[in-house]
Amino acid sequence: MWYYNKKLQYPVKVRECNPHLALFLIEQYGGADGELSAALRYLNQRYSIPDKVVGLLNDIGTEEFAHLEMIATMIYKLTKDATAEQMDAAGLGGRYTDHGHALFPENTHRTPWTAAYIQAKGDPIADLYEDIAAEEKARATYQWIINLSDDPELNDSLKFLREREVVHSMRFREAVEILKEDRDKKTFF
């Protein structure tokens, strides 16, 4: 059971309307390596992973939904005052004609989110390596968005998200080591 705290995990401030920057953030909203994909991947994988690490997948999967909420807030704040012309100039014209200023899970190329973005092998170690890769790809994407942004307030929130990806990667690495010991002792597989 989840309890919703009606505040963001970390404050999101945006200096000014910037649909061009929102375009890049859309990747983290509905792209293959974005927050929605991560949340669903981890919460799905937890059903076929040993009890020793199931809580980790539950905790990180839940936190990824909090990250999704932060990204949604960023996109909304960056586009809410944008005109149709500004949206079009930023490469969001087609998105605007389909959704206006509403959020929609898709990547920067307008490909809608798909369950094909999430992986679940059923082998705990293989799944955790997939999770490590997902966290490292998200970390890299956040860094690249920071490199493209000139908004120091938004970058503060993006740096928070980037660092959380690092922490998640480290936690998944620790889980791999725990499960490798069990595999060597033949306690699962």
Side-chain angles (χ1 to χ4, degrees), residues 42 45-59:
Y42 307 150
Q45 289 173 351
R46 70 186 173 163
Y47 292 101
S48 60
I49 200 146
D51 289 343
K52 281 187 175 183
V53 296
V54 72
L56 176 66
L57 287 167
N58 192 62
D59 291 349

Side-chain angles (χ1 to χ4, degrees), residues 103-167:
L103 292 165
F104 184 76
E106 61 187 5
N107 67 17
T108 56
H109 302 290
R110 303 222 45 237
T111 304
W113 184 88
T114 173
Y117 289 163
I118 63 174
Q119 297 295 321
K121 187 67 174 174
D123 177 290
I125 293 175
D127 283 345
L128 287 169
Y129 275 122
E130 171 70 29
D131 300 343
I132 293 166
E135 293 295 326
E136 292 298 333
K137 289 187 272 185
R139 176 201 49 78
T141 302
Y142 280 124
Q143 183 59 56
W144 296 331
I145 295 170
I146 291 166
N147 294 348
L148 292 167
S149 170
D150 62 355
D151 185 334
E153 292 181 0
L154 182 67
N155 286 349
D156 180 57
S157 299
L158 292 171
K159 288 175 184 176
F160 169 81
L161 291 170
R162 180 194 61 201
E163 294 309 309
R164 293 306 300 160
E165 305 302 346
V166 171
V167 170

Side-chain angles (χ1 to χ4, degrees), residues 55-93:
L56 176 66
L57 287 167
N58 192 62
D59 291 349
I60 294 177
T62 301
E63 184 177 345
E64 297 295 357
F65 277 125
H67 295 177
L68 183 70
E69 185 178 32
M70 288 178 65
I71 293 296
T73 301
M74 290 175 196
I75 294 167
Y76 174 75
K77 287 183 174 187
L78 288 166
T79 61
K80 72 181 175 91
D81 296 325
T83 65
E85 292 79 17
Q86 288 173 310
M87 295 289 278
D88 191 38
L92 293 169

